[in-house]
Amino acid sequence: METDLFSHEGIRSVSDRRSAYDQQLRGKVSTTFDREAPASGKTAGRRGSHAVRWWVLVVLGTAQLMVTLDATVVNIALPAAQHDLGFSDGSRQWVITGYVLAFGSLLLLGGRLGDLFGRRTTFVTGPIGFAGASVLGGAATSFDILVAARIAQGVFAALLAPAALSLLSVTFTHPSERAKAFGIFSALAGAGGAVGLLLGGMLTEWASWRWVMYVNVVFAAVALIGALLLLAKPAVAERPKLDIPGTTVVSAALFAIVYGFAHVESTSWTDPVTLGSMIVGVVLLAVFVWLEARVAHPLLPLRLVLDRTRGGSFLAVFVIGMGMFSIFLFLTYYLEAGIGYSPIETGLAFLPMVAGIVAASTTAPSLLLPRVGPKLVISAGFLVAASGMALLTRLELDSTYVAHIVPGLILPPAVNRSVFNSSEAG
């Protein structure tokens, strides 16, 4: 009999091991399910049962797809939104930066709130808030309202993303299933950025830029209904205390650093505001590390990042994120402004990237990791991704799509997703 962390049914059948599990899962979800339970009857139909775990993956994947999709879906719609609302070229970047800024600076807090209030609760709250912010953005009558809606989307995405990843981890505990589940989840997450570009082009050309925002309501509804039907209400053994000083300092630090990088686009690297923001951010990060080493309930226990394996995985994922979204932004402007593609043509041009991401995400965890281990997969993956990025540096205005763009379009994102999977599942 195997156990997982969802169904309340299995806990009664393993009462003799209850004390051991309580010690291991103290402060976490303390529910299980029985893999040997019959496939029919009440047990199979219960929320959180083992029988519905793959449907849980669909729900979690849909939510993660929405989060990553929204980081790029607005890109292609920006010119139309700018013409409609009348904001300047210098202000245009904040429609994208507002989302990323809120998401990045509040991600740690979102994970901690999941520990505090329960991951199911935070996961259910996320789609509700995200849908509301999307409706506000779609109905925006001014630039300020649009940016405020994007920031609100980022806030609820920061609540939703860590809850989805955590629920995925506790749903699939068997090594073989875990690798496959993470591969599918990562494929959806990785393809979200490229799908966002395609969807943004289609909606902008065939409907209106406002539907780029409204479409999120569909994804949010699927995630919300699925969560209410499939996710069991967990029994929380102990509620962790919230690290208020650490949360405040690291949120301010990440905000300052991201703001500094965003400010470079409209000024320069030597601009006082740019330099000041980055310096303040680095100083605040140092203060955060100092606080985390001394508080009783740290937001980010330093042992997690000081561990060689975990620290290396976090660094790999961090580098991947920078490379992935840089490619999306660069190629979008290159294809539209440089070559003259229409919005939908630009979206369609990213389809090979989606295929590469899905292929790499579903094969690397199940085929490569068991045979060669994560170290070789990650190292080789970064080398191949770097070669693809190097190809993109050679693009010219007369470069052709198949010969010059497609190789660099496929290699970095596809290989980066295999590296991400290796970091998370390995």
Side-chain angles (χ1 to χ4, degrees):
M1 179 182 297
E2 297 183 36
T3 58
D4 199 277
L5 303 179
F6 272 88
S7 170
H8 296 279
E9 190 72 19
I11 237 177
R12 290 190 289 271
S13 66
V14 290
S15 58
D16 57 326
R17 294 184 290 172
R18 177 68 178 271
S19 59
Y21 272 89
D22 284 344
Q23 291 177 3
Q24 293 176 7
L25 304 179
R26 189 177 181 183
K28 300 180 181 179
V29 179
S30 60
T31 54
T32 64
F33 61 68
D34 185 354
R35 289 181 185 267
E36 298 176 0
S40 61
K42 294 183 178 180
T43 302
R46 292 184 60 127
R47 290 182 300 180
S49 69
H50 175 74
V52 299
R53 69 197 185 285
W54 292 107
W55 287 108
V56 171
L57 174 61
V58 172
V59 172
L60 301 179
T62 301
Q64 186 65 20
L65 177 65
M66 179 181 68
V67 170
T68 55
L69 178 148
D70 232 65
T72 59
V73 71
V74 178
N75 285 9
I76 297 178
L78 266 181
Q82 182 179 2
H83 181 269
D84 190 13
L85 299 180
F87 51 87
S88 66
D89 290 340
S91 300
R92 183 173 58 187
Q93 62 162 322
W94 288 105
V95 179
I96 298 174
T97 304
Y99 177 80
V100 179
L101 190 62
F103 183 44
S105 62
L106 296 175
L107 200 55
L108 280 176
L109 176 60
R112 195 61 171 174
L113 290 175
D115 294 335
L116 186 63
F117 297 106
R119 294 172 182 87
R120 181 182 185 271
T121 300
T122 54
F123 185 85
V124 169
T125 304
I128 296 175
F130 203 99
S134 298
V135 171
L136 176 64
T141 56
S142 69
F143 172 72
D144 293 336
I145 295 177
L146 180 60
V147 173
R150 291 288 287 167
I151 292 174
Q153 284 181 322
V155 170
F156 286 102
L159 196 65
L160 182 62
L165 190 60
S166 179
L167 288 168
L168 180 69
S169 298
V170 298
T171 304
F172 296 91
T173 56
H174 192 277
S176 61
E177 287 190 347
R178 184 182 181 88
K180 184 177 180 180
F182 267 91
I184 296 172
F185 182 82
S186 297
L188 291 172
V195 171
L197 296 171
L198 174 61
L199 189 60
M202 294 171 61
L203 292 174
T204 301
E205 191 159 319
W206 293 343
S208 165
W209 70 267
R210 297 183 183 276
W211 279 96
V212 168
M213 305 293 289
Y214 290 142
V215 72
N216 290 311
V217 177
V218 177
F219 292 99
V222 172
L224 176 61
I225 294 172
L228 293 175
L229 293 177
L230 300 176
L231 297 181
K233 295 181 179 179
V236 180
E238 179 182 344
R239 293 188 182 275
K241 295 182 179 179
L242 190 62
D243 177 17
I244 300 296
T247 299
T248 304
V249 171
V250 75
S251 297
L254 293 175
F255 180 90
I257 292 173
V258 174
Y259 181 85
F261 277 107
H263 201 259
V264 171
E265 192 273 339
S266 58
T267 55
S268 67
W269 288 100
T270 58
D271 181 77
V273 175
T274 299
L275 291 176
S277 297
M278 293 184 178
I279 292 172
V280 169
V282 171
V283 171
L284 288 176
L285 280 180
V287 174
F288 173 69
V289 172
W290 181 83
L291 285 172
E292 298 305 278
R294 287 161 176 78
V295 296
H297 302 280
L299 177 67
L300 178 64
L302 296 182
R303 68 179 184 278
L304 296 180
V305 293
L306 294 178
D307 177 80
R308 182 177 176 180
T309 302
R310 289 195 183 100
S313 298
F314 294 154
L315 180 61
V317 173
F318 176 72
V319 173
I320 287 168
M322 291 193 299
M324 285 279 290
F325 287 103
S326 297
I327 291 174
F328 290 145
L329 185 61
F330 164 71
L331 285 179
T332 297
Y333 279 96
Y334 173 77
L335 292 172
E336 286 201 58
I339 299 182
Y341 279 20
S342 68
I344 193 169
E345 287 174 335
T346 300
L348 290 172
F350 280 92
L351 284 181
M353 175 189 286
V354 178
I357 289 173
V358 172
S361 297
T362 53
T363 56
S366 57
L367 298 180
L368 295 180
L369 280 180
R371 291 173 173 80
V372 301
K375 182 182 295 186
L376 184 58
V377 173
I378 291 174
S379 301
F382 274 129
L383 290 176
V384 176
S387 66
M389 298 285 278
L391 292 175
L392 293 178
T393 65
R394 303 178 63 84
L395 291 179
E396 303 288 345
L397 290 178
D398 58 350
S399 297
T400 61
Y401 176 74
V402 175
H404 302 99
I405 299 175
V406 170
L409 184 70
I410 295 177
L411 287 178
V415 176
N416 280 343
R417 292 315 298 182
S418 69
V419 172
F420 177 86
N421 293 346
S422 303
S423 302
E424 293 294 322

